[in-house]
Amino acid sequence: MTVRVLLADDQEMVRTALRLVIDRREDLSVVGESSDGEQAVSHAIELQPDVVLMDVRMPGMTGVEATRRITTSWPGPGPAPRVLVLTTFDLDEYVHAALRAGAAGFLLKNSPPDQLTHALRTAAAGEAVLAPSVTRRLIDTVTALPAALLPNAPAPPDPAPREGRQEDGLDRLGTPGMLSALTERELHVLVLVARGMSNARIAAALGLSEGNVKSRVNRILTRLGLENRVQAALLAHQAGLTGSTRMATPPGPRQATADSTGDPSTSS
């Protein structure tokens, strides 16, 4: 299957360079170009690409607003395209806004061609693009912002009581109350998501099937009221989970294997 890509950037030279890289791959194809946010939205509706590669700073409607309109007000038909935002290191605050608007991930404008094409395939497959080499810098920038600018996910409803559940140490971790809706195994998954690991790598680390991991990630997003894995990663970093020694070591193979055969909604 060919991944259809829409390029949105106000610089023609940047679009030309991106097109040259993308069109050289047999499984990738540029279906259109947009020079501002308004064009990006209208072209996305008209051309129905799989992925929109979106610059965040453009004249008129910004890439942030265009991302928000595509992800939250998609008129269809079919699912909304995935949006990858393009940035440089000095524009991290704009990337944060785009992630809050529903972007599936971010890329640096100086990313190597192979990284760019891999990111497009990853986004088209429904996964977030979290490059470990740059995610840490983005997280540091985001968490340094004033509290009013940080993402505020709605608190999920109180989870149904689970018989026999033992204290899982969430309070000792200093985890926000909203994370108490997650099982301990889901917290492990959340931490690995925050470290930029794909479903396949998480599955290998925890001894679960890839389908099981995908189901858990979807459940985590639903319980926390989040839209994508990137927002989940931001929340995990803000909660201090990724720096926790206790969360750093996943369960052993025996425990992981046993858990993968049980009810994912109750195992911990």
Side-chain angles (χ1 to χ4, degrees):
M1 183 188 75
T2 300
V3 176
R4 295 160 46 84
V5 182
L6 172 65
L7 303 179
D9 195 293
D10 62 318
Q11 299 182 50
E12 184 177 358
M13 290 184 63
V14 172
R15 298 198 307 271
T16 299
L18 292 171
R19 177 183 282 273
L20 287 174
V21 170
I22 294 170
D23 281 345
R24 286 178 180 174
R25 273 60 177 183
E26 292 184 357
D27 61 334
L28 301 174
S29 176
V30 174
V31 297
E33 298 183 15
S34 307
S35 59
D36 58 46
E38 277 192 49
Q39 283 189 359
V41 175
S42 61
H43 287 168
I45 295 172
E46 175 188 353
L47 300 173
Q48 298 184 39
D50 300 302
V51 182
V52 179
L53 200 52
M54 182 85 72
D55 187 19
V56 289
R57 180 178 277 185
M58 294 185 288
M61 183 188 296
T62 66
V64 174
E65 179 59 27
T67 296
R68 181 178 295 107
R69 295 196 184 187
I70 290 173
T71 59
T72 64
S73 305
W74 182 247
R82 307 277 288 174
V83 178
L84 292 182
V85 296
L86 284 169
T87 185
T88 53
F89 274 132
D90 60 344
L91 291 180
D92 284 346
E93 67 272 21
Y94 292 94
V95 178
H96 170 240
L99 297 179
R100 292 187 64 186
F106 64 94
L107 287 173
L108 296 179
K109 284 192 173 181
N110 61 354
S111 297
D114 287 346
Q115 187 178 84
L116 167 65
T117 54
H118 175 72
L120 291 171
R121 297 184 187 103
T122 300
E127 293 200 34
V129 177
L130 288 169
S133 60
V134 292
T135 297
R136 180 67 259 174
R137 181 181 176 93
L138 173 63
I139 296 299
D140 289 343
T141 300
V142 169
T143 54
L145 292 173
L149 296 180
L150 295 176
N152 294 312
D158 293 335
R162 287 171 283 168
E163 295 183 4
R165 175 179 177 179
Q166 297 180 351
E167 170 61 42
D168 55 15
L170 298 185
D171 292 337
R172 292 194 300 275
L173 283 172
T175 308
M178 63 183 299
L179 293 185
S180 64
L182 304 183
T183 67
E184 188 162 350
R185 176 52 62 85
E186 288 167 351
L187 281 172
H188 280 295
V189 172
L190 177 60
V191 169
L192 298 184
V193 166
R195 291 176 181 169
M197 294 176 64
S198 65
N199 287 348
R201 291 182 60 197
I202 295 174
L206 298 183
L208 304 173
S209 70
E210 190 171 347
N212 188 297
V213 172
K214 183 175 182 179
S215 296
R216 289 173 187 271
V217 171
N218 289 337
R219 187 162 54 253
I220 289 169
L221 298 180
T222 298
R223 288 181 173 178
L224 298 182
L226 303 175
E227 295 184 7
N228 54 51
R229 295 164 69 104
V230 182
Q231 292 180 350
L234 291 172
L235 179 62
H237 280 282
Q238 290 168 10
L241 290 182
T242 54
S244 167
T245 301
R246 184 173 181 273
M247 283 286 117
T249 305
R254 180 181 299 274
Q255 179 180 348
T257 301
D259 181 73
S260 66
T261 59
D263 181 354
S265 66
T266 58
S267 55
S268 60

XYZ file of all heavy atoms in Angstrom, residues 105-186:
600
model
N 2.781 13.406 16.083
C 4.193 13.392 16.410
C 4.903 14.562 15.772
O 4.272 15.486 15.251
N 6.233 14.547 15.818
C 6.987 15.661 15.302
C 8.283 15.180 14.664
O 8.800 14.107 14.975
C 7.297 16.669 16.415
C 8.178 16.112 17.504
C 9.556 16.284 17.455
C 7.631 15.405 18.559
C 10.361 15.758 18.439
C 8.428 14.883 19.548
C 9.810 15.058 19.492
N 8.792 15.995 13.749
C 10.058 15.731 13.073
C 10.855 17.017 13.025
O 10.290 18.110 12.941
C 9.820 15.254 11.634
C 9.282 13.852 11.409
C 8.969 13.682 9.926
C 10.305 12.815 11.851
N 12.163 16.882 13.072
C 13.029 18.032 12.851
C 13.219 18.240 11.358
O 13.274 17.280 10.590
C 14.385 17.807 13.522
C 14.363 17.680 15.045
C 15.774 17.434 15.560
C 13.766 18.913 15.691
N 13.336 19.490 10.946
C 13.491 19.777 9.531
C 14.804 19.242 8.973
O 14.937 19.069 7.764
C 13.386 21.278 9.279
C 11.959 21.797 9.347
C 11.847 23.205 8.803
C 10.397 23.638 8.719
N 10.239 24.995 8.165
N 15.784 19.009 9.852
C 17.048 18.468 9.377
C 17.153 16.959 9.607
O 18.245 16.398 9.641
C 18.224 19.173 10.052
C 18.227 18.992 11.569
O 17.290 18.437 12.143
N 19.278 19.456 12.214
N 15.998 16.298 9.753
C 16.011 14.846 9.952
C 16.592 14.152 8.724
O 16.338 14.575 7.581
C 14.587 14.323 10.186
O 14.030 14.860 11.362
N 17.364 13.080 8.925
C 17.887 12.326 7.780
C 16.734 11.757 6.953
O 15.644 11.485 7.491
C 18.699 11.199 8.446
C 18.997 11.690 9.825
C 17.829 12.539 10.214
N 16.931 11.555 5.671
C 15.860 11.042 4.808
C 15.240 9.741 5.305
O 14.015 9.592 5.266
C 16.567 10.852 3.458
C 17.652 11.865 3.468
C 18.133 11.920 4.890
N 16.065 8.805 5.770
C 15.521 7.531 6.241
C 14.633 7.718 7.462
O 13.632 7.019 7.627
C 16.654 6.550 6.567
C 17.324 6.005 5.320
O 16.751 6.180 4.224
O 18.415 5.421 5.433
N 15.000 8.666 8.339
C 14.175 8.934 9.519
C 12.845 9.551 9.114
O 11.792 9.221 9.678
C 14.924 9.860 10.480
C 14.220 10.052 11.820
C 15.026 10.937 12.754
O 14.947 12.163 12.696
N 15.831 10.314 13.594
N 12.885 10.433 8.140
C 11.657 11.064 7.651
C 10.714 10.030 7.055
O 9.522 9.997 7.397
C 12.007 12.117 6.594
C 10.839 12.648 5.752
C 9.853 13.410 6.614
C 11.371 13.539 4.620
N 11.229 9.187 6.171
C 10.358 8.209 5.517
C 9.836 7.169 6.510
O 8.687 6.733 6.407
C 11.106 7.526 4.360
O 12.344 6.972 4.833
C 11.399 8.528 3.250
N 10.677 6.784 7.471
C 10.217 5.842 8.503
C 9.103 6.469 9.325
O 8.114 5.798 9.671
C 11.378 5.444 9.400
C 10.973 4.576 10.559
N 10.599 3.248 10.402
C 10.843 4.844 11.883
C 10.282 2.739 11.580
N 10.417 3.693 12.497
N 9.244 7.753 9.654
C 8.225 8.441 10.448
C 6.895 8.499 9.706
O 5.828 8.323 10.308
C 8.702 9.852 10.789
N 6.936 8.729 8.401
C 5.704 8.774 7.620
C 5.012 7.416 7.622
O 3.788 7.327 7.776
C 6.015 9.198 6.188
C 6.472 10.655 6.009
C 6.966 10.891 4.588
C 5.346 11.627 6.357
N 5.776 6.352 7.468
C 5.187 5.008 7.499
C 4.616 4.704 8.883
O 3.539 4.109 9.005
C 6.240 3.969 7.129
C 6.794 4.099 5.707
C 7.757 2.975 5.394
N 8.418 3.181 4.101
C 9.670 3.605 3.970
N 10.402 3.864 5.048
N 10.203 3.766 2.757
N 5.345 5.113 9.924
C 4.898 4.861 11.291
C 3.587 5.585 11.578
O 2.657 5.020 12.156
C 5.975 5.314 12.294
O 7.181 4.584 12.059
C 5.526 5.075 13.730
N 3.514 6.842 11.185
C 2.294 7.628 11.404
C 1.129 7.042 10.630
O 0.009 6.937 11.151
C 2.517 9.079 11.004
N 1.366 6.648 9.382
C 0.298 6.074 8.562
C -0.216 4.776 9.161
O -1.396 4.427 8.992
C 0.801 5.827 7.139
N 0.638 4.059 9.893
C 0.234 2.807 10.527
C -0.529 3.033 11.825
O -0.975 2.081 12.461
C 1.468 1.941 10.801
N -0.680 4.296 12.226
C -1.477 4.607 13.406
C -0.694 4.801 14.676
O -1.270 4.970 15.750
N 0.640 4.811 14.595
C 1.449 5.000 15.792
C 1.994 6.412 15.841
O 2.126 7.086 14.820
C 2.597 3.984 15.837
C 2.118 2.554 16.017
C 3.213 1.644 16.525
O 4.073 2.104 17.311
O 3.220 0.470 16.137
N 2.345 6.847 17.058
C 2.928 8.178 17.221
C 4.400 8.147 16.849
O 5.057 7.116 16.932
C 2.771 8.649 18.663
N 4.896 9.283 16.417
C 6.308 9.404 16.074
C 7.011 10.138 17.204
O 6.848 11.345 17.385
C 6.492 10.170 14.748
C 7.972 10.363 14.444
C 5.803 9.416 13.620
N 7.749 9.384 17.999
C 8.470 9.933 19.143
C 9.940 9.553 19.003
O 10.329 8.462 19.392
C 7.914 9.373 20.451
C 6.541 9.861 20.893
C 6.030 9.005 22.039
C 6.615 11.308 21.328
N 10.732 10.416 18.444
C 12.149 10.121 18.300
C 12.842 10.318 19.643
O 12.862 11.431 20.157
C 12.769 11.041 17.250
N 13.390 9.258 20.233
C 14.018 9.385 21.561
C 15.097 10.453 21.614
O 15.281 11.106 22.627
C 14.594 7.990 21.803
C 13.769 7.082 20.965
C 13.431 7.880 19.737
N 15.812 10.677 20.501
C 16.917 11.631 20.509
C 16.463 13.068 20.705
O 17.229 13.915 21.150
C 17.711 11.522 19.205
O 16.885 11.807 18.099
N 15.210 13.372 20.361
C 14.734 14.747 20.495
C 13.548 14.870 21.446
O 13.194 15.977 21.847
C 14.341 15.322 19.112
C 15.560 15.502 18.255
C 13.335 14.450 18.422
N 12.947 13.772 21.824
C 11.798 13.837 22.725
C 12.173 14.443 24.071
O 11.431 15.239 24.642
C 11.206 12.434 22.954
O 10.733 11.930 21.714
C 10.035 12.494 23.930
N 13.363 14.088 24.581
C 13.763 14.586 25.894
C 13.837 16.106 25.897
O 13.412 16.763 26.838
C 15.117 13.991 26.260
C 15.676 14.414 27.619
C 14.841 13.862 28.765
N 13.949 14.858 29.329
C 13.043 14.583 30.253
N 12.873 13.361 30.684
N 12.295 15.535 30.741
N 14.386 16.684 24.825
C 14.488 18.142 24.756
C 13.108 18.778 24.693
O 12.836 19.794 25.340
C 15.316 18.552 23.546
C 15.489 20.070 23.435
C 16.306 20.437 22.202
N 16.377 21.891 22.052
C 17.353 22.639 22.538
N 18.331 22.070 23.199
N 17.341 23.943 22.358
N 12.216 18.173 23.929
C 10.852 18.692 23.841
C 10.171 18.629 25.193
O 9.535 19.588 25.636
C 10.046 17.896 22.819
C 8.555 18.223 22.745
C 8.348 19.665 22.320
C 7.844 17.283 21.801
N 10.305 17.483 25.881
C 9.676 17.340 27.198
C 10.215 18.376 28.166
O 9.472 18.990 28.936
C 9.917 15.920 27.746
C 9.239 14.883 26.851
C 9.410 15.789 29.174
C 7.743 15.021 26.752
N 11.540 18.604 28.166
C 12.137 19.601 29.057
C 11.558 20.982 28.796
O 11.267 21.740 29.718
C 13.651 19.638 28.877
C 14.339 18.402 29.431
O 13.701 17.686 30.231
O 15.498 18.149 29.057
N 11.363 21.313 27.514
C 10.800 22.617 27.158
C 9.356 22.729 27.620
O 8.944 23.731 28.186
C 10.874 22.830 25.633
O 12.239 22.786 25.235
C 10.274 24.172 25.240
N 8.600 21.664 27.386
C 7.181 21.681 27.749
C 6.995 21.814 29.244
O 6.203 22.619 29.726
C 6.492 20.402 27.236
C 5.093 20.277 27.822
C 6.404 20.433 25.719
N 7.732 21.037 30.019
C 7.538 21.051 31.458
C 8.060 22.328 32.099
O 7.736 22.624 33.248
C 8.218 19.835 32.110
O 9.596 19.799 31.699
C 7.539 18.549 31.690
N 8.862 23.102 31.362
C 9.343 24.380 31.874
C 8.358 25.512 31.604
O 8.522 26.612 32.124
C 10.697 24.718 31.253
N 7.322 25.232 30.811
C 6.331 26.257 30.499
C 5.475 26.568 31.723
O 5.351 25.746 32.629
C 5.421 25.778 29.361
C 6.057 25.635 27.983
C 5.063 24.981 27.034
C 6.518 26.964 27.441
N 4.861 27.748 31.776
C 3.931 28.043 32.867
C 2.827 27.004 32.944
O 2.413 26.447 31.931
C 3.362 29.424 32.474
C 4.402 30.020 31.585
C 5.005 28.868 30.841
N 2.356 26.748 34.145
C 1.353 25.695 34.353
C 0.125 25.901 33.471
O -0.481 24.937 33.008
C 0.951 25.654 35.823
N -0.233 27.169 33.226
C -1.442 27.444 32.438
C -1.317 26.955 31.003
O -2.310 26.746 30.324
C -1.741 28.943 32.441
N -0.074 26.762 30.527
C 0.131 26.341 29.149
C 0.292 24.839 29.008
O 0.342 24.326 27.895
C 1.376 27.029 28.564
C 1.308 28.544 28.446
C 2.602 29.068 27.850
C 0.121 28.973 27.596
N 0.400 24.128 30.113
C 0.593 22.686 30.045
C -0.714 21.992 29.708
O -1.799 22.490 30.017
C 1.126 22.156 31.382
C 2.523 22.644 31.758
C 2.905 22.125 33.135
C 3.558 22.222 30.730
N -0.642 20.821 29.058
C -1.872 20.116 28.684
C -2.651 19.697 29.919
O -2.087 19.164 30.865
C -1.363 18.900 27.901
C 0.057 18.745 28.306
C 0.558 20.108 28.642
N -3.933 19.960 29.904
C -4.794 19.594 31.026
C -5.829 18.595 30.547
O -6.892 18.956 30.085
C -5.508 20.834 31.587
C -4.534 21.808 32.224
O -3.688 21.413 33.006
N -4.642 23.083 31.847
N -5.497 17.323 30.643
C -6.438 16.290 30.242
C -7.530 16.165 31.287
O -7.271 16.269 32.484
C -5.713 14.952 30.094
N -8.770 15.965 30.879
C -9.839 15.819 31.850
C -9.645 14.588 32.702
O -9.167 13.564 32.234
C -11.095 15.695 30.961
C -10.579 15.184 29.655
C -9.225 15.801 29.489
N -10.002 14.701 33.960
C -9.877 13.546 34.839
C -10.872 12.473 34.421
O -12.040 12.767 34.170
C -10.146 13.967 36.281
N -10.439 11.213 34.337
C -11.344 10.146 33.932
C -12.294 9.808 35.064
O -12.057 10.165 36.223
C -10.386 8.975 33.662
C -9.232 9.240 34.582
C -9.093 10.741 34.630
N -13.392 9.130 34.772
C -14.297 8.716 35.836
C -13.594 7.745 36.758
O -12.640 7.066 36.372
C -15.439 8.033 35.075
C -14.842 7.626 33.778
C -13.829 8.684 33.448
N -14.070 7.682 38.008
C -13.477 6.756 38.963
C -13.570 5.343 38.426
O -14.644 4.904 37.993
C -14.209 6.821 40.316
C -13.984 8.166 40.998
O -12.945 8.802 40.691
O -14.830 8.572 41.803
N -12.460 4.605 38.439
C -12.497 3.243 37.925
C -13.351 2.355 38.807
O -13.475 2.564 40.011
C -11.025 2.816 37.966
C -10.419 3.673 39.031
C -11.148 4.986 38.963
N -13.971 1.354 38.177
C -14.768 0.411 38.947
C -13.862 -0.338 39.908
O -12.721 -0.674 39.567
C -15.453 -0.572 38.005
N -14.310 -0.616 41.134
C -13.469 -1.347 42.075
C -13.133 -2.727 41.551
O -13.950 -3.377 40.924
C -14.357 -1.415 43.336
C -15.751 -1.214 42.846
C -15.635 -0.303 41.664
N -11.887 -3.131 41.753
C -11.448 -4.440 41.301
C -11.128 -5.298 42.512
O -10.242 -4.962 43.301
C -10.212 -4.302 40.395
C -10.540 -3.759 39.045
C -9.291 -3.437 38.286
N -8.726 -2.172 38.789
C -7.512 -1.737 38.496
N -6.744 -2.453 37.730
N -7.083 -0.596 38.960
N -11.832 -6.360 42.654
C -11.669 -7.207 43.821
C -10.273 -7.786 43.863
O -9.728 -8.239 42.858
C -12.691 -8.341 43.784
C -14.128 -7.878 43.905
C -15.088 -9.040 43.937
O -14.620 -10.202 43.947
O -16.299 -8.781 43.944
N -9.697 -7.743 45.044
C -8.407 -8.377 45.234
C -7.220 -7.541 44.787
O -6.086 -7.978 44.863
N -7.471 -6.325 44.304
C -6.343 -5.514 43.881
C -5.582 -5.039 45.101
O -6.152 -4.490 46.028
C -6.818 -4.307 43.065
C -5.652 -3.377 42.703
C -6.104 -2.214 41.875
N -4.970 -1.326 41.622
C -5.051 -0.225 40.897
N -6.189 0.111 40.346
N -3.998 0.526 40.702
N -4.265 -5.228 45.075
C -3.436 -4.829 46.188
C -2.884 -3.428 45.930
O -2.901 -2.919 44.822
C -2.281 -5.814 46.368
C -2.762 -7.222 46.705
C -1.593 -8.174 46.874
O -0.459 -7.825 46.582
N -1.883 -9.349 47.348
N -2.373 -2.824 47.000
C -1.765 -1.514 46.875
C -0.635 -1.578 45.861
O 0.251 -2.426 45.932
C -1.208 -1.090 48.251
C -0.337 0.151 48.212
C -1.090 1.352 47.715
O -2.245 1.525 48.113
O -0.514 2.090 46.910
N -0.671 -0.697 44.850
C 0.341 -0.757 43.812
C 1.394 0.330 43.936
O 2.231 0.500 43.064
C -0.285 -0.685 42.417
C -1.164 0.536 42.240
O -1.070 1.449 43.077
O -1.932 0.576 41.266
N 1.338 1.095 45.012
C 2.400 2.046 45.271
C 2.303 3.337 44.486
O 3.270 4.084 44.401
N 1.135 3.622 43.899
C 1.024 4.835 43.098
C 1.231 6.080 43.947
O 1.874 7.031 43.509
C -0.350 4.896 42.417
C -0.657 3.763 41.441
C -1.985 4.025 40.771
C 0.444 3.614 40.417
N 0.692 6.068 45.156
C 0.860 7.233 46.016
C 2.330 7.448 46.360
O 2.807 8.571 46.449
C 0.042 7.073 47.298
C -1.446 7.123 47.018
O -1.829 7.697 45.990
O -2.220 6.578 47.822
N 3.037 6.343 46.557
C 4.452 6.469 46.890
C 5.235 7.037 45.721
O 6.297 7.627 45.884
C 5.032 5.100 47.288
C 4.479 4.570 48.597
C 5.324 3.415 49.087
N 5.345 2.305 48.141
C 4.421 1.360 48.087
N 3.377 1.409 48.893
N 4.537 0.362 47.228
N 4.744 6.843 44.507
C 5.404 7.382 43.321
C 5.084 8.859 43.111
O 5.661 9.498 42.257
C 4.958 6.612 42.066
C 5.586 5.246 41.849
C 4.904 4.555 40.682
C 7.075 5.373 41.576
N 4.125 9.364 43.874
C 3.721 10.738 43.668
C 2.927 10.919 42.387
O 2.898 11.992 41.807
N 2.273 9.863 41.931
C 1.511 9.916 40.691
C 0.258 10.741 40.869
O -0.430 10.601 41.867
C 1.108 8.491 40.268
O 2.268 7.682 40.266
C 0.471 8.497 38.894
N -0.075 11.615 39.895
C -1.320 12.376 40.001
C -2.512 11.450 40.136
O -2.502 10.319 39.654
C -1.368 13.142 38.671
C 0.063 13.237 38.239
C 0.694 11.959 38.711
N -3.568 11.967 40.762
C -4.736 11.137 41.015
C -5.326 10.530 39.755
O -5.845 9.426 39.770
N -5.248 11.242 38.636
C -5.853 10.733 37.412
C -5.185 9.450 36.957
O -5.812 8.627 36.292
C -5.800 11.773 36.310
C -4.418 12.176 35.862
S -4.438 13.487 34.615
C -5.332 12.688 33.304
N -3.914 9.227 37.309
C -3.228 8.011 36.903
C -3.613 6.815 37.757
O -3.251 5.685 37.437
C -1.708 8.210 36.945
C -1.136 9.188 35.929
C 0.383 9.198 35.985
C -1.586 8.861 34.512
N -4.334 7.046 38.829
C -4.755 5.923 39.672
C -5.768 5.040 38.964
O -6.069 3.941 39.420
C -5.355 6.446 40.990
O -6.543 7.182 40.740
N -6.292 5.518 37.820
C -7.219 4.695 37.038
C -6.488 3.582 36.298
O -7.126 2.669 35.771
C -7.975 5.569 36.032
N -5.154 3.643 36.241
C -4.382 2.653 35.500
C -3.898 1.530 36.411
O -3.593 1.753 37.582
C -3.163 3.313 34.845
C -3.422 4.499 33.926
C -2.098 4.970 33.319
C -4.412 4.144 32.829
N -3.806 0.326 35.842
C -3.190 -0.779 36.564
C -1.680 -0.583 36.548
O -1.141 0.235 35.790
C -3.517 -2.124 35.905
O -2.884 -2.172 34.613
C -5.021 -2.312 35.741
N -0.985 -1.351 37.355
C 0.459 -1.222 37.384
C 1.062 -1.627 36.039
O 2.027 -1.017 35.578
C 1.047 -2.076 38.512
C 2.535 -1.831 38.722
C 3.033 -2.310 40.070
O 2.189 -2.663 40.919
O 4.260 -2.331 40.262
N 0.519 -2.636 35.397
C 1.034 -3.024 34.095
C 0.808 -1.913 33.066
O 1.650 -1.652 32.215
C 0.367 -4.324 33.625
C 0.774 -4.783 32.209
C 2.291 -4.856 32.045
N 2.877 -5.822 32.949
C 2.985 -7.118 32.702
N 2.536 -7.599 31.561
N 3.554 -7.918 33.574
N -0.332 -1.240 33.144
C -0.580 -0.134 32.236
C 0.392 1.017 32.487
O 0.799 1.714 31.556
C -2.033 0.337 32.361
C -3.025 -0.650 31.765
C -4.462 -0.371 32.153
O -4.700 0.489 33.024
O -5.353 -1.032 31.585
